[in-house]
Amino acid sequence: ELAQAYPQVKMVVTHCAQLDISGLSIGDAMILAQETEQVYFETSGVYRRDLIEGLVNDVGAHRLVFGSNFPDMNIEMELERIYAADLPDEAKAQLLGENARGIFK
């Protein structure tokens, strides 16, 4: 509702909009992605690669940004999640830095 109320504001949701990094709100994250244009999804703690792959396939790699949640999470594991995802190299490059540069200038 907040994102829909302020469509001119870029928003980054942590953990791909997962509650407590549980994976229980994947459907909600997909609805949010489809119903908003200005919401970006940060990837830290998303233990299910299929959510990352699904978001890229459904709304585009340009809507995701890498996040490590350091020091609470292991940055190597967070990077490996992106490297291991079934995504084209161009999409991985977008997630790992290009998108954040564009969002945060």
Side-chain angles (χ1 to χ4, degrees), residues 7-8 11-12 15-17 23 25 27 30 35 40-41 45 47 56 67-68 76 82-84 92:
Q8 73 282 10
M11 298 182 184
V12 178
H15 314 303
C16 281
S25 54
M30 296 304 278
E35 292 185 356
Y40 299 85
F41 297 82
Y47 69 92
V56 169
S68 67
E76 287 86 12
I82 303 302
Y83 296 145
K92 291 177 185 181

Side-chain angles (χ1 to χ4, degrees), residues 4-62:
Q4 290 174 332
Y6 296 95
Q8 73 282 10
V9 177
K10 291 181 181 178
M11 298 182 184
V12 178
V13 293
T14 60
H15 314 303
C16 281
Q18 297 302 288
L19 301 173
D20 297 327
I21 319 171
S22 65
L24 296 176
S25 54
I26 289 175
D28 293 331
M30 296 304 278
I31 291 169
L32 176 63
Q34 293 165 350
E35 292 185 356
T36 62
E37 300 271 330
Q38 83 285 12
V39 174
Y40 299 85
F41 297 82
E42 179 267 340
T43 62
S44 71
V46 178
Y47 69 92
R48 291 185 53 175
R49 284 190 343 242
D50 61 328
L51 172 57
I52 295 170
E53 294 164 353
L55 283 167
V56 169
N57 290 330
D58 289 350
V59 298
H62 69 284

